[in-house]
Amino acid sequence: MQTELTFDETQKNILSGATTCEKVLDDYLQKIDSTKQLNAFLSVFHEEAREHARRVDRKIASGTAGKLAGMVVGIKDVLCMKGKKVTCGSRILENFESLYNATVVDALLNEDAILVGKTNMDEFAMGSSTENSAFGPVLNPVDKTRVPGGSSGGSCVAVAAGLSHTALGTDTGGSIRQPASFCGVVGLKPTYGRVSRYGLVALSSSFDQIGPFAHTVRDAATVLGVIAGHDERDSTSAEVPVPDYAQFLSKDVKGVNVGLPVEAFADGLNDEVRSNVEKAIDVLRAAGASIYDIHLPHSRYNISTYYILMTAEASSNLARYDGARYGFREDEARDLASMYTKSRSEGFGAETKRRIMLGTYVLSAGYHEAYYKKAQRVRRLIQNDFVQAFAEVDCILMPTSPTTAFSFGEKAHDPLQMYLSDIYTVSANLAGIPGISIPYGTDTKGLPVGVQLLGKQFDEPTILRVADFLESTLKGQES
Amino acid sequence: MSVTVKDVEHVAALARLSFSQDEKERLTHELNEILQYMEQLNSLDTSTVEPLSHVIQLQNVFREDEIRPGVSREDALKNAPVHSEKFFKVPKVIGDR
């Protein structure tokens, strides 16, 4: 079955003539159709993708194919593809059709990737379990009684279950790395500004970033190389050159200084997660990396700071859904104000409304300074912690999540407990730095554990190098 | 600081959301729980810290103000719940109350 191969392996088979893009795609489509109960995809482009695969096969034959020729990719349904629905997992956008392609979509198409479908997600990317999708939850393929993590649960499961080589997700507070950890795949959140957000439906504009899920660090690096770079249509995308990420792979880790935040290994970390992460640390130490304890003294304020700022920005971004120009409209409304209120109250799900309420509260007169401005000040202290840490170390290693995948319903009725499950991931978004989660062993139930590496702004090369090395040591054990 | 059902009603009106009585009570409880947790920020003295609104160094970007193709009227109306040939249609805003 082609769907068990990495993209790197598949592309070799395609270029050697052993298979074709069309055959590879057919295997994936078959698998997508036979695993519908996972609910990973909200739409699948059977015919269009086949046509595209045949076109790429012709380009390969004529020697004009792009870097991603043969790659089958899933796209989180928060990214625009012209003429396709973009639901954001919400009833309010159930029938919305995109008018243009997101820049990342164009970038993938320009390199001949085959976009196979749009993936399920927590409504407007708000959630850590994909239980908040208006179109039903996504199941974790490792254990179907457990959540896949969120909010990019569909994209993550598309890769984990072998329904696509890679998939694009978005990470606002951990929505790529946490599901990657729960499902046992690689998930990469680039530096804020590394990838254009044009055509990404906004959740929290100072945090949102697009990144790949993949089976291997190499495949993730390949996708990043294609989607990264400045875009004049997104003024927050950085004018920083994009390196050839592949040159940092298959290297050793001698002399790399790795920091372990003492705070992240304190109480609240599951023992089995801890022991797997410690194995990764031992492997790096044995391979010549220098391991140091470091301090991120303000990390205990991460969740408060993040959820104040994130909900404030979200409440503002989601004000546009009023039923006037697009999206769901409640027909009964007799006047404009009640049309807004009824459309929004009917169209949004419970968690989205909760966060709009929280965000509106912290921005409202009398509370703006106490909550919003206060959180912006603490955000600077949190970023400064990282600046100081990175003066001493090249990258930081810690768990991606304090636990392995939890069960459906376990946290759904306690919002604060759900928010606290993001405790190790939100810091990268608060500081605007890159982070990657790679699978590193399992707990006694067989559930994957994720190890997270964080780097300096725009230093994806170092975290890719160390992650790739750790991945290679695991493969050595298996064979 | 503690959030009351009345506060929830006020914020809901600002956010253009409506809730049943049960939902209001549940939200009051949940917001209190979350905001109480967030009170921890008050233990930090941030009087000398500048607010951080943007995480990377950015400069304002200028470009020539040239006419470029935009979204056509047809496209703009495509996703409208109700529209006429040229306009978005919404319930009457003024008159006969």
Side-chain angles (χ1 to χ4, degrees):
Chain A
M1 195 73 173
Q2 293 290 345
T3 58
E4 279 157 23
L5 301 179
T6 66
F7 167 64
D8 198 40
E9 293 161 338
T10 303
Q11 198 178 41
K12 279 177 192 140
N13 289 342
I14 292 173
L15 297 180
S16 74
T19 187
T20 63
C21 294
E22 194 180 359
K23 282 185 197 152
V24 169
L25 175 72
D26 269 339
D27 279 354
Y28 278 106
L29 286 172
Q30 247 178 51
K31 201 147 179 200
I32 289 171
D33 292 339
S34 66
T35 55
K36 278 189 179 150
Q37 81 279 9
L38 294 174
N39 207 17
F41 281 90
L42 293 177
S43 48
V44 181
F45 314 132
H46 291 86
E47 279 321 302
E48 215 175 318
R50 275 199 189 101
E51 216 171 278
H52 191 187
R54 287 193 284 268
R55 205 157 58 234
V56 178
D57 279 328
R58 285 195 295 274
K59 283 175 99 173
I60 291 170
S62 66
T64 56
K67 285 181 210 159
L68 303 185
M71 183 186 278
V72 177
V73 188
I75 303 290
K76 187 176 182 180
D77 207 18
V78 70
L79 292 160
C80 291
M81 286 178 69
K82 189 174 179 177
K84 302 274 185 271
K85 283 182 184 174
V86 55
T87 68
C88 299
S90 180
R91 207 185 148 209
I92 214 161
L93 283 179
E94 192 169 359
N95 297 308
F96 185 89
E97 205 173 90
S98 302
L99 301 179
Y100 53 82
N101 278 344
T103 297
V104 289
V105 166
D106 277 336
L108 292 175
L109 290 173
N110 286 340
E111 292 296 344
D112 291 324
I114 297 158
L115 309 187
V116 72
K118 307 286 294 284
T119 60
N120 202 351
M121 57 185 282
D122 279 306
E123 184 177 21
F124 286 103
M126 296 195 223
S128 310
S129 65
T130 320
E131 289 169 289
N132 298 331
S133 168
F135 309 107
V138 178
L139 309 188
N140 189 324
V142 181
D143 175 348
K144 296 190 182 76
T145 67
R146 290 173 189 275
V147 304
S151 67
S152 312
S155 282
C156 181
V157 170
V159 173
L163 315 181
S164 64
H165 286 114
T166 65
L168 291 187
T170 57
D171 190 314
T172 302
S175 288
I176 292 174
R177 291 161 289 152
Q178 183 252 21
S181 151
F182 278 14
C183 298
V185 299
V186 175
L188 171 63
K189 182 206 95 78
T191 306
Y192 184 84
R194 178 72 291 182
V195 176
S196 166
R197 292 182 295 118
Y198 179 79
L200 161 63
V201 179
L203 166 59
S204 298
S205 307
S206 80
F207 297 96
D208 298 343
Q209 191 61 199
I210 302 163
F213 290 95
H215 284 293
T216 61
V217 174
R218 181 172 294 275
D219 283 357
T222 302
V223 174
L224 179 65
V226 167
I227 62 174
H230 178 66
D231 175 13
E232 65 166 19
R233 293 176 298 184
D234 173 6
S235 60
T236 64
S237 68
E239 292 200 61
V240 176
V242 179
D244 171 16
Y245 294 111
Q247 67 175 295
F248 303 100
L249 306 180
S250 305
K251 302 277 183 204
D252 63 33
V253 291
K254 282 194 190 77
V256 176
N257 296 319
V258 181
L260 310 176
V262 173
E263 295 81 3
F265 290 87
D267 294 346
L269 175 59
N270 171 285
D271 286 339
E272 293 192 75
V273 173
R274 180 193 302 271
S275 72
N276 277 287
V277 174
E278 281 171 353
K279 272 181 212 155
I281 297 164
D282 290 341
V283 162
L284 290 179
R285 192 183 281 115
S290 303
I291 312 290
Y292 300 96
D293 279 343
I294 57 159
H295 286 277
L296 299 169
H298 296 94
S299 56
R300 55 185 292 239
Y301 303 105
N302 283 351
I303 291 290
S304 297
T305 307
Y306 173 73
Y307 275 95
I308 289 171
L309 297 174
M310 179 267 150
T311 57
E313 293 182 22
S315 72
S316 167
N317 272 326
L318 269 57
R320 72 191 66 176
Y321 303 104
D322 56 12
R325 292 148 298 154
Y326 47 77
F328 172 78
R329 180 188 296 186
E330 168 55 66
D331 294 329
E332 302 292 294
R334 300 288 305 274
D335 62 83
L336 198 61
S338 69
M339 182 193 84
Y340 293 155
T341 303
K342 285 182 177 171
S343 301
R344 289 166 63 77
S345 302
E346 287 275 308
F348 288 135
E351 177 62 18
T352 300
K353 286 191 263 194
R354 188 181 291 123
R355 294 205 198 183
I356 291 173
M357 288 292 287
L358 188 58
T360 306
Y361 181 83
V362 301
L363 287 175
S364 64
Y367 301 104
H368 185 270
E369 182 66 36
Y371 288 103
Y372 183 70
K373 280 276 166 181
K374 179 83 188 183
Q376 283 193 314
R377 292 178 210 275
V378 181
R379 187 177 191 182
R380 183 175 299 280
L381 296 175
I382 292 167
Q383 191 183 48
N384 285 346
D385 283 354
F386 279 101
V387 171
Q388 276 167 26
F390 284 127
E392 293 163 31
V393 296
D394 304 309
C395 67
I396 292 172
L397 184 150
M398 60 184 190
T400 309
S401 170
T403 65
T404 51
F406 46 86
S407 299
F408 284 103
E410 196 176 326
K411 299 184 187 212
H413 302 292
D414 189 342
L416 185 58
Q417 282 310 308
M418 189 70 93
Y419 299 170
L420 288 169
S421 69
D422 299 340
I423 192 143
Y424 297 136
T425 47
V426 295
S427 57
N429 306 79
L430 285 161
I433 59 176
I436 188 167
S437 177
I438 59 161
Y440 212 82
T442 55
D443 67 9
T444 45
K445 295 191 196 87
L447 301 171
V449 171
V451 166
Q452 180 178 218
L453 293 153
L454 302 176
K456 294 172 201 171
Q457 288 191 344
F458 300 101
D459 191 18
E460 281 83 1
T462 298
I463 59 171
L464 288 169
R465 171 185 169 189
V466 176
D468 176 64
F469 178 82
L470 275 176
E471 183 182 85
S472 70
T473 64
L474 272 187
K475 280 187 186 130
Q477 280 173 16
E478 279 163 20
S479 58
Chain B
M1 272 185 285
S2 172
V3 179
T4 62
V5 172
K6 230 180 146 200
D7 294 329
V8 165
E9 286 169 350
H10 169 65
V11 174
L14 292 175
R16 295 275 193 253
L17 290 171
S18 66
F19 297 99
S20 70
Q21 194 58 33
D22 275 2
E23 286 173 324
K24 282 180 205 166
E25 276 160 25
R26 197 168 62 240
L27 267 171
T28 306
H29 169 75
E30 286 168 352
L31 291 186
N32 270 318
E33 198 182 47
I34 296 164
L35 289 166
Q36 256 163 39
Y37 177 82
M38 290 170 169
E39 299 276 310
Q40 62 158 205
L41 296 189
N42 293 332
S43 66
L44 270 178
D45 178 6
T46 53
S47 52
T48 59
V49 184
E50 276 297 301
L52 178 70
S53 55
H54 223 287
V55 288
I56 55 170
Q57 294 290 326
L58 285 175
Q59 282 179 339
N60 205 359
V61 184
F62 294 98
R63 63 165 172 79
E64 290 306 312
D65 189 15
E66 293 160 338
I67 296 171
R68 302 185 197 184
V71 175
S72 67
R73 176 182 283 154
E74 195 194 357
D75 274 356
L77 291 173
K78 201 151 86 180
N79 285 297
V82 189
H83 65 89
S84 68
E85 206 179 311
K86 291 183 178 175
F87 305 108
F88 297 106
K89 280 175 91 169
V90 295
K92 210 166 190 181
V93 181
I94 44 169
D96 68 41
R97 286 231 153 190

